[in-house]
Amino acid sequence: MLTPMVDRRDLQQRLDDLAHQYRVPGAAAGVLVGGRVEVVATGIAKLGTSVPVTTDSVFLLASLTKVWTATLVLQLVDEGLVDLSLPVNHYLKPSLRLASEEVARTVTVGQLLSHSGGFFGDAAEPNIRSDDAVEKIVDSYRDLVQLHRPGALFSYSNSGYNVLGRLVECVTGSTWDDALRTRLIEPLGLGSTSTLPEETMTRPLVVGHVPAAPGSHDLAPVSTWLDPRTSGPCGGTLAATPADLLAFARHHLENGLAPSGARLMSAETTRSMREPHIVQPDPSRGPAWGWGWSIEHLEPRVVGHIGSTCGQQSRLVLAPDHGVAICVMASGDVQGMGDKLVSELLEQLVGVGLPATPDPVEADVDVTPYVGRFRMSDEATIDVRAEASGLVASFTTSGRWADFHGDFSTTMTYAGGTTFLMTMPPVTDPVAATFLWEDGADGPATHLASQMRVAPRSEAFTR
């Protein structure tokens, strides 16, 4: 039975309504079903102007770029140039250096693809714009701390994907930008997709928006449109229209075929990207991670990715067995409008929505294993303490964390298993926080996982 296409007028009306409800300045949405595409847009490109967002407007893909970088790596695997089981340093010149020399020597390509390399994943990115930007950012990782043993846990890693971008450069002998252009953008005929600002700025742009102050729901345009070139492979520079993003999705739905019929990746390798390779502990985010793709549902298989940078947000999901892809691209979507629309469309077309945040559970829980200090980075620590009313998490922040969140405290409401719910401003909806044990569930929890990152107990956060 063929999956019916959504009605364009209904899609337009729903995008209009949700953008108004969530106070999103501008957005676009697209649906691909069986080769047919519908794209709609709403709102304005920048607050204070009257420039409309159109279906030809270019958005930053943000961390959705990681799927593109993973695709490049898997192309090299197909060509016999990369082995996922080998240490990444087998391919890097100069070699990757980390705070742990042992991890730098042994962490594998596959572990980086599945976000299980274990070293700190959100390193600062200097403003380098030369062709050696990715090489220089990877060279700066020599002091990155280890959060867990490689392969032991899932923890989302921008740094790990920049390392993979450097792998692409070393194996192909080109920059990551050129490899992406020659291996994906051009073969897929993506005429509105680029990574370099001098190319992107020739197209109609959507400007990102961020909270005007920490915790505020009022928005202001960003002062910098994109991230430095150092963050290209992990998601700071790639920009596209919704139609181009859906064309990339179609390449994956058709298991590696380009519109010309040329095979850019084998069907077996393309499908392997959608298989589970590491457990993802946040119940609101899907059960596992593949090579690049987040696995939102196992049956029916739904994979996807999200992105957020410079005040812009993106979301893409694919249901391969149904031939369906859905994308939403937005500016200033701090409350989750994109997730809402994607989930509704996915339910309509495939019969399942996106994973949802679990509901609170009434139960007597021994909170002793969860009490303590967990350290997300040099800029953010979480003190979890037991009070008469239950667990409370207090965040102490500085630097970039303070710019977005500031210091705050939140109650932790039990939600089953070792998961609790907490609220992180400016978002008012609860997010899941799951306590983990790296070596089995005995004694105090070794890690706290939330927002796809793990924070080890403070005493384990060592350089």
Side-chain angles (χ1 to χ4, degrees):
M1 180 177 174
L2 294 177
T3 302
M5 177 49 113
V6 298
D7 182 85
R8 179 184 178 84
R9 291 168 299 181
D10 291 343
L11 180 60
Q12 181 71 67
Q13 187 64 57
R14 191 60 180 143
L15 179 64
D16 291 343
D17 291 345
L18 286 175
H20 176 75
Q21 177 185 340
Y22 284 81
R23 301 175 64 186
V24 172
V31 178
L32 166 68
V33 177
R36 181 182 167 193
V37 173
E38 294 286 5
V39 177
V40 297
T42 192
I44 56 175
K46 180 181 178 182
L47 287 176
T49 76
S50 58
V51 178
V53 177
T54 72
T55 55
D56 293 325
S57 295
V58 170
F59 293 79
L60 284 169
L61 298 192
S63 285
L64 259 172
T65 305
K66 292 181 176 66
V67 184
W68 301 60
T69 297
T71 301
L72 292 178
V73 173
L74 270 296
Q75 285 181 335
L76 298 175
V77 170
D78 255 352
E79 296 166 21
L81 300 175
V82 170
D83 185 328
L84 299 183
S85 66
L86 287 180
V88 71
N89 260 343
H90 184 78
Y91 304 100
L92 299 189
K93 294 186 184 302
S95 296
L96 171 68
R97 290 181 291 176
L98 300 166
S100 168
E101 294 180 4
E102 175 69 9
V103 171
R105 186 179 64 83
T106 61
V107 66
T108 69
V109 179
Q111 288 167 342
L112 296 182
L113 282 168
S114 60
H115 294 280
S116 60
F119 51 90
F120 180 65
D122 293 298
E125 293 157 350
N127 189 6
I128 301 170
R129 300 193 180 273
S130 52
D131 283 351
D132 59 356
V134 177
E135 177 182 348
K136 287 183 175 179
I137 189 65
V138 171
D139 185 59
S140 75
Y141 291 166
R142 64 190 68 186
D143 293 326
L144 292 189
V145 298
Q146 200 65 22
L147 306 179
H148 61 78
R149 293 192 321 277
L153 299 172
F154 169 90
S155 188
Y156 189 82
S157 180
N158 290 301
S159 305
Y161 265 76
N162 282 339
V163 175
L164 291 171
R166 179 60 186 153
L167 176 152
V168 169
E169 293 187 335
C170 291
V171 174
T172 64
S174 68
T175 64
W176 172 82
D177 304 87
D178 283 343
L180 194 72
R181 177 177 53 80
T182 60
R183 287 175 163 268
L184 285 175
I185 294 173
E186 291 178 349
L188 293 176
L190 308 182
S192 297
T193 300
S194 55
T195 61
L196 300 177
E198 59 266 31
E199 298 171 2
T200 306
M201 68 187 296
T202 64
R203 305 179 179 110
L205 305 177
V206 173
V207 174
H209 292 81
V210 294
S216 172
H217 293 289
D218 293 327
L219 298 177
V222 295
S223 57
T224 301
W225 190 78
L226 82 172
D227 285 322
R229 198 173 174 187
T230 45
S231 66
C234 76
T237 61
L238 181 60
T241 60
D244 273 11
L245 179 55
L246 290 176
F248 171 77
R250 184 174 184 175
H251 161 250
H252 277 270
L253 289 174
E254 296 185 352
N255 293 319
L257 288 179
S260 65
R263 183 161 288 285
L264 305 184
M265 190 162 52
S266 72
E268 179 183 5
T269 298
T270 310
R271 285 191 290 265
S272 75
M273 294 180 66
R274 306 193 292 258
E275 293 299 314
H277 296 294
I278 190 75
V279 172
Q280 198 286 119
D282 186 339
S284 65
R285 298 280 185 172
W289 212 274
W291 303 140
W293 291 112
S294 166
I295 298 173
E296 312 286 352
H297 286 280
L298 290 170
E299 294 296 336
R301 185 61 49 89
V302 176
V303 300
H305 212 291
I306 59 176
S308 180
T309 194
C310 296
Q312 298 191 47
Q313 296 75 32
S314 59
R315 162 69 95 163
L316 174 68
V317 295
L318 279 64
D321 293 340
H322 294 74
V324 168
I326 304 164
C327 74
V328 175
M329 306 162 83
S331 162
D333 181 16
V334 298
Q335 292 280 2
M337 178 213 72
D339 283 357
K340 173 71 171 173
L341 181 55
V342 167
S343 193
E344 289 181 359
L345 292 169
L346 194 61
E347 180 74 44
Q348 176 184 340
L349 296 171
V350 180
V352 296
L354 292 175
T357 303
D359 293 324
V361 174
E362 291 288 342
D364 291 328
V365 180
D366 178 12
V367 299
T368 305
Y370 312 134
V371 172
R373 172 169 289 182
F374 299 85
R375 191 167 182 182
M376 302 182 71
S377 72
D378 286 333
E379 297 178 341
T381 59
I382 311 168
D383 288 291
V384 179
R385 63 186 185 275
E387 296 187 350
S389 58
L391 283 183
V392 174
S394 294
F395 286 69
T396 303
T397 64
S398 62
R400 293 173 298 167
W401 265 86
D403 291 339
F404 190 69
H405 288 292
D407 294 350
F408 66 95
S409 294
T410 175
T411 57
M412 302 186 77
T413 305
Y414 185 60
T418 61
T419 296
F420 292 75
L421 302 177
M422 60 184 184
T423 301
M424 302 179 68
V427 179
T428 56
D429 292 334
V431 299
T434 301
F435 292 92
L436 304 174
W437 287 258
E438 189 172 355
D439 298 302
D442 291 317
T446 60
H447 294 78
L448 175 58
S450 185
Q451 304 288 279
M452 299 194 297
R453 275 87 167 165
V454 298
R457 282 193 177 270
S458 185
E459 57 267 26
F461 191 97
T462 56
R463 296 197 174 278

